[in-house]
Amino acid sequence: MARKQQEKSLQTKKELMEAANELFGKKGFVETTVAEITKYAGYAKGSFYRHWVSKDKLFLEIVEEKLTEYRNSRDDRLGKAESLEEVMNIIWDFLENIVRDQNWAKVFLEFTIYASRVPELREDLSLSQYRLSEDVFADLVRDFVETDYPPEKIGAFNTVLFEGYMVRSSIETGFMIQNNNGAGLIDFNDVREAAVTLALTNGLKKAE
């Protein structure tokens, strides 16, 4: 009996998370209410509060679950990497998977801005399981850097370039820059190429 109840509880939780994920994608985090989530999933509000104390905590669990899934795929490949270029491309494949999940990426950005105004949430979001950490990126490339260029800088540039791209792409599908030939469109591949080029230029010894 206890096992069946546990299985039922886990199924309820899963369905509530799926409903929340879909509604967040359609309406955004702030505009979606607990009542809407439970109604959409077909449960009473009490079912929600048996699993989470707030919508904020539910969203943090969704973030952790998604990032864990992405990281597991990334880490399997990193264990076989043999060069800085390979590691950088694995990292940016990982980031590209996040970008492809467009609704979730935009909601995550919305939640990050929202959480910045709430001290408790801001502290929660600083934990590694909920964020893209420049320190983690630095550790991933550290063993492949051949120069005295700090891996922390490579990690920081990765984060800045990616988060900057995310902010701009949430506003529009791309953004324009002026070059010698007129206006050109920067897309994800351009940002990725810039990050990889910077890492290789500074992290590898020059051929003599």
Side-chain angles (χ1 to χ4, degrees), residues 170-181:
S170 71
I171 300 171
E172 50 191 323
T173 56
F175 57 97
M176 306 299 291
I177 61 167
Q178 291 296 129
N179 56 35
N180 294 333
N181 299 318

Side-chain angles (χ1 to χ4, degrees), residues 4 15 20-21 33 45 59 68 80 97 108 114 125 166:
K4 286 185 178 180
E15 290 175 8
N21 212 13
T33 66
K45 286 177 71 174
F59 191 78
T68 296
K80 303 171 185 176
N97 285 334
F108 178 68
Y114 161 79
L125 205 57
M166 289 290 290

Side-chain angles (χ1 to χ4, degrees), residues 13-14 33 37 62 72 77-78 88 90-91 96 111 113 122 127 138 147 157 167 171 185 191 195 201 205 207:
K13 182 177 182 180
K14 178 184 177 183
T33 66
I37 293 169
I62 290 173
N72 287 342
R77 295 176 60 199
L78 283 170
M88 287 296 298
I90 291 170
I91 290 173
E96 186 171 0
F111 181 79
I113 295 169
R122 189 166 64 241
L127 299 175
T147 66
F157 276 120
V167 170
I171 300 171
L185 183 66
V191 178
T201 299
K205 290 181 179 178

